Amino acid sequence: MQATELLFEIEIKPPLKGSRQSANAVYVQLKNAILDGRLTLGAKLPPTRSASHFFGISRNTAGDVYEKLEHEGFIFTRHGSGSYVAHALPLLSSPPARLDPPVSGQHRVNPFWMRTDVTTAMNFWRDSVGSPAPPRKTPPTDFRPVLVDSALFPFDLFRRVSATQLRGLQKRPSSHRSLEGNQGNHSLRTAVSRHIAVTRAIVCQADDIIVTSGAQQAFDLLARVLVIPNETVVAFEDPGYPPMRVNFAAAGAKLVPVGVDAEGLMVEQLPKDVGIICVTPSHQFPLGITMSLRRRKALIEYARTHGAIIIEDDYDGEFRYDAGPLEAMRSAEAADVVFYVGTFSKCMLPALRLGFIVAPDWLMRTLITAKNCLDWHCSTPVQRTVAGFIANGHLSRHVRKMRAVYKQRRNTIFELLRGDLRTWLDEIPSLYGMHVAVTAPESVDLEAATAALLRHNVRMHTLRRYFFGPETRRGLILGYGSADPTQIHRGLSLLRKVLQR
Amino acid sequence: MQATELLFEIEIKPPLKGSRQSANAVYVQLKNAILDGRLTLGAKLPPTRSASHFFGISRNTAGDVYEKLEHEGFIFTRHGSGSYVAHALPLLSSPPARLDPPVSGQHRVNPFWMRTDVTTAMNFWRDSVGSPAPPRKTPPTDFRPVLVDSALFPFDLFRRVSATQLRGLQKRPSSHRSLEGNQGNHSLRTAVSRHIAVTRAIVCQADDIIVTSGAQQAFDLLARVLVIPNETVVAFEDPGYPPMRVNFAAAGAKLVPVGVDAEGLMVEQLPKDVGIICVTPSHQFPLGITMSLRRRKALIEYARTHGAIIIEDDYDGEFRYDAGPLEAMRSAEAADVVFYVGTFSKCMLPALRLGFIVAPDWLMRTLITAKNCLDWHCSTPVQRTVAGFIANGHLSRHVRKMRAVYKQRRNTIFELLRGDLRTWLDEIPSLYGMHVAVTAPESVDLEAATAALLRHNVRMHTLRRYFFGPETRRGLILGYGSADPTQIHRGLSLLRKVLQR
């Protein structure tokens, strides 16, 4: 029997004659074989019938074990064909376990949301479990990435635009009855198309844009429309942004980590059956690398050849420091394969929850149908206010101002890194955005260092939580969206002291 | 062979010796057998292996046919057990077909969003396909339900509150970093808990509430968390609200239509394996019936006995006319099984896109995890403004005012219905909300009547688009959220003329 041969080959032993294995013992054997690589990614498992003979358990029990492995993301089932080891599912490097499901009478809920890797990924902003609570007296210094300095946001202008726009809303308050309206406020889409033409050299029309509730909803929308459950393979940069992986895992995709080198995503590592490739070409998240032109071309070529599409997450592309803006990957030539995701969380405020997708026209109507199902459309007052804010030139002025502010902070960090800190930390060049990453040799205990910093109310992430494949790099993220130069000096001098110990 | 016997029984004939059937012929035979009821709901299909022998097609082809039937919602697969006829899947009474998938190179997208029943349901607000475009010169009269009279909304007060709240935001602009914040603005949740205590007699705390982007996102969130794909059975009132069904179908649920009589949802029609029961007890959508107390008790009892949960969609419960507010189903005793969904689309404005769920505490943390994945949280400026609007008493005043306005409109409609229109139309009593429904005998051609009205720019839905099981009632919806008394007179007098022909 072929199926049994496979189990022998990977050193899963049949039980002794007469003994019967429990479901849990079988589950543990199979899971360990997957985790330690004896069962290779994509390998076909024996049918439940053969497995039940082999392990001396009932076919129903074998089915339960498979179902548990599937719910936890270790295996997937192809209709009429069988069960396979997932290509790589854990969203984080830790193997997923399941929390106790919430209980009320007999009702069962979708176990996906109880997976520890899922809850950990969605708790991305939290301090590590078991970390001490930071002291309340010390003023906080926050080096976590993806924060912005909202103290510098022109709230007075925003308020003024908001009042004007609410007057406009009074005249035309209609909602969710037209497909076009649900694609997003037309004046906002027009304003966005002009804004990204200037800042990102993207040539598109209002009709190519769909407005979303931040980049997070953009990922969710794309995952739900583009992923065929248990079939579509999605490649992510590793390290990368864990919450985004949850959107695709929730939609039933098979997730594959792909390494990043000095030129960006390593295209040669992409699996042949990849359907979706998620990248941060301007400013790799979290390493801060800008993808080389050569690599960009290779990536688009790869996607075209393999029938895949590319999702370009351009979360901080407005903030380029050392030259004029480099084009986005979503150029006119790549408009058919690249989905460009932009956000107002970095260039304005995360609290607005507003982002957008520049999508190929072959999928726009389908995206609108799905967006209708999600929540019809984004809140009209906010959409109108941001539209007015952009149209009045406030956004360009704010971006210009913040570019100077953030550039100074980045330079402060680089200066400090080139001092004593060089002993422990190597900088990774960074041209864009609001954070830089540094790497460290294994001898430096970064987890202990960040835990020590937290006791002084300095919050800093190590790279660990960004990986879901093997942890190939050890390092720190130094976000300067929220930390001003004084805080940067304080935080990095504390870091030096901690590392000296 | 048992499998073949089944096919014989339902008069699917094996092909002549030597002839081979095409995949499409097999697909059509099976689909028709499901549609005309020969293959009963829940029946097990022969395995693809047997089916391939029987039809003289390859096993791969048989797998393809099954996959197509599954994508279209006719069958579902249970892991390790086989394929079954879905309990009832089309979201509308018309059998689902698939539109041409969007094409770009070799990339495939999730076919769910191309199903005609899905796109039709999400185009719920549109006029019927093929209807004439209404003339632009005539002022429109809109009897579609779920519209509000935004001309009467106190925009000046809203603007003032908004300005105050944006000042507050400037002081505390933090976002999506705390789980508690992602559950929704705390002052909004507090304000909502007080508001629904008064208007709906619901006793709950801020911690029992999660804020969503309208009721639509509440349905989506609940569907994603509560549905186990291909397993969970969800019962809907039929007729009902089609867009809500899409959320559950998208999450992989098996949808079952349940009839509505004068007391509301017919509990005795609920399937034994039901997991989720969706109801509109205050004001059945679209029939306008209020569920009797006896039926409410029976429903809660049924849910408890069968390990199911109840979703109470209370879209217009604030507007009760003929007595004080009747309690919501979500009473303190039923707090463990009822998920209460509220919205600000009716009592304020749909354009705000703000709603909420009062959820049992055993699921709250899981709901927040999923909400984080969807979009982290709702737009903070809008949340704060609505919180301030409620806290300042503006919402109670507005609801009080609108209750009088809408009551007068409803009474106008009832007066007119009790005149000449009685010849063709029977009213259904309605105590709440912003629409009433009327029924008509088969002899009255309502589709022709509404098409004729549209030529005069009067928009009115027949009941047809609200059904997904058999069309057991024929009738019209008369929404008065947008139509004022003058428009009601004009519209119904036109309706009379049209029916007289």
Side-chain angles (χ1 to χ4, degrees), chain A residues 74-108:
Chain A
F74 289 107
I75 68 172
F76 64 93
T77 307
R78 209 182 279 269
H79 188 92
S81 155
S83 296
Y84 298 84
V85 178
H87 281 68
L89 240 221
L91 300 161
L92 295 157
S93 51
S94 62
R98 218 152 98 197
L99 301 175
D100 288 334
V103 173
S104 168
Q106 309 152 43
H107 190 79
R108 294 174 56 203

Side-chain angles (χ1 to χ4, degrees), chain A residues 48 59 63 66-67 70-71 75 77 79-80 83 102-111 113-114 118-119 121-126 142 144 146-147 150-151 153 155-156 158-159 162-164 166-167 169-171 173-180 213-214 216-218 220 223-229 231-232 241 243 246-247 250-251 275-276 304-309 336-337 345 349-353 362-363 365-366 369-370 372-382, chain B residues 48 59 63 66-67 70-71 75 77 79-81 83 102-111 113-114 118-119 121-126 142 144 146-147 150-151 153 155-156 158-159 162-164 166-167 169-171 173-180 213-214 216-218 220 223-229 231-232 241 243 246-247 250-251 275-276 304-309 336-337 345 349-353 362-363 365-366 369-370 372-382:
Chain A
T48 48
R59 193 162 169 204
Y66 277 33
E67 195 178 358
E70 184 168 12
H71 277 147
I75 68 172
T77 307
H79 188 92
S83 296
V103 173
S104 168
Q106 309 152 43
H107 190 79
R108 294 174 56 203
V109 305
N110 189 327
W113 303 103
M114 262 72 66
V118 169
T119 53
M122 294 319 306
N123 282 334
F124 179 70
W125 306 103
R126 285 197 156 181
D142 206 332
R144 291 179 298 177
V146 200
L147 303 177
S150 45
F153 186 74
F155 279 95
D156 49 341
F158 190 81
R159 259 201 314 275
S162 167
T164 311
L166 284 175
R167 273 192 200 92
L169 180 66
Q170 186 163 11
K171 286 175 202 147
S174 69
S175 178
H176 71 69
R177 278 169 289 154
S178 73
L179 271 182
E180 295 64 34
S213 179
Q216 189 68 25
Q217 192 185 50
D220 201 50
R224 292 179 77 173
V225 170
L226 290 169
V227 170
I228 300 175
E231 182 178 323
T232 306
Y241 182 58
V246 177
N247 299 109
I276 301 172
R304 284 240 166 75
T305 312
H306 293 80
I309 61 93
D336 59 329
V337 287
S345 296
L349 293 172
L352 299 178
R353 307 307 311 129
W362 58 267
L363 199 67
R365 290 202 78 79
T366 311
T369 300
N372 286 346
C373 172
L374 264 54
D375 59 5
W376 293 112
H377 63 80
C378 294
S379 187
T380 306
V382 178
Chain B
T48 48
R59 192 161 170 204
Y66 277 32
E67 195 176 358
E70 185 168 12
H71 277 148
I75 68 173
T77 306
H79 188 92
S81 153
S83 296
V103 173
S104 168
Q106 310 152 41
H107 190 79
R108 294 173 56 203
V109 305
N110 189 327
W113 303 103
M114 262 72 66
V118 169
T119 53
M122 295 318 307
N123 282 334
F124 179 70
W125 306 101
R126 285 197 155 178
D142 206 332
R144 291 180 297 176
V146 201
L147 303 177
S150 45
F153 185 74
F155 279 96
D156 49 341
F158 189 82
R159 258 201 315 276
S162 166
T164 311
L166 284 174
R167 273 191 201 95
L169 180 67
Q170 185 161 11
K171 286 175 204 147
S174 69
S175 179
H176 71 69
R177 277 169 288 155
S178 73
L179 271 182
E180 294 64 35
S213 179
Q216 189 69 26
Q217 192 185 50
D220 202 51
R224 292 180 77 173
V225 169
L226 290 169
V227 170
I228 301 175
E231 182 178 323
T232 306
Y241 182 57
V246 177
N247 298 109
I276 301 171
R304 284 240 167 76
T305 312
H306 292 79
I309 62 93
D336 58 328
V337 287
S345 295
L349 293 172
L352 299 178
R353 308 307 312 128
W362 57 268
L363 199 67
R365 290 201 79 78
T366 311
T369 300
N372 286 346
C373 173
L374 263 55
D375 59 4
W376 294 112
H377 63 81
C378 294
S379 187
T380 306
V382 177

Side-chain angles (χ1 to χ4, degrees), chain B residues 145-148 195 199-200 215 280-290 312-321 325-326 340-348 399 403 406 410 430-436 477-481:
Chain B
V146 201
L147 303 177
V148 303
H195 178 69
T199 57
R200 308 300 297 120
T280 48
S282 303
H283 191 231
Q284 204 277 332
F285 192 84
L287 298 179
I289 291 157
T290 300
E312 174 178 21
D313 174 14
D314 196 41
Y315 59 103
D316 62 4
E318 289 95 343
F319 300 112
R320 183 168 203 242
Y321 305 121
L326 189 71
Y340 174 95
V341 175
T343 175
F344 295 103
S345 295
K346 313 303 174 295
C347 63
M348 291 182 72
V399 164
R403 205 182 278 140
Y406 290 144
R410 187 198 59 154
S430 172
L431 308 175
Y432 281 87
M434 298 135 76
H435 76 267
V436 299
I477 317 291
L478 304 172
Y480 47 88

Side-chain angles (χ1 to χ4, degrees), chain B residues 89-145:
Chain B
L89 239 221
L91 299 162
L92 296 158
S93 52
S94 60
R98 218 152 99 197
L99 302 173
D100 288 335
V103 173
S104 168
Q106 310 152 41
H107 190 79
R108 294 173 56 203
V109 305
N110 189 327
F112 177 83
W113 303 103
M114 262 72 66
R115 277 168 41 176
T116 49
D117 58 335
V118 169
T119 53
T120 308
M122 295 318 307
N123 282 334
F124 179 70
W125 306 101
R126 285 197 155 178
D127 302 313
S128 302
V129 177
S131 300
R136 282 173 176 263
K137 279 181 197 166
T138 327
T141 301
D142 206 332
F143 287 99
R144 291 180 297 176

Side-chain angles (χ1 to χ4, degrees), chain B residues 353-416:
Chain B
R353 308 307 312 128
L354 219 53
F356 59 91
I357 308 170
V358 181
D361 60 2
W362 57 268
L363 199 67
M364 185 52 86
R365 290 201 79 78
T366 311
L367 286 173
I368 300 171
T369 300
K371 168 71 180 170
N372 286 346
C373 173
L374 263 55
D375 59 4
W376 294 112
H377 63 81
C378 294
S379 187
T380 306
V382 177
Q383 286 195 71
R384 291 187 71 122
T385 303
V386 172
F389 193 84
I390 301 176
N392 292 344
H394 300 320
L395 181 58
S396 330
R397 275 189 291 276
H398 181 58
V399 164
R400 213 153 42 227
K401 179 177 85 177
M402 295 312 291
R403 205 182 278 140
V405 168
Y406 290 144
K407 183 176 182 177
Q408 192 207 344
R409 294 180 185 182
R410 187 198 59 154
N411 292 348
T412 304
I413 289 179
F414 276 151
E415 277 166 31
L416 293 170

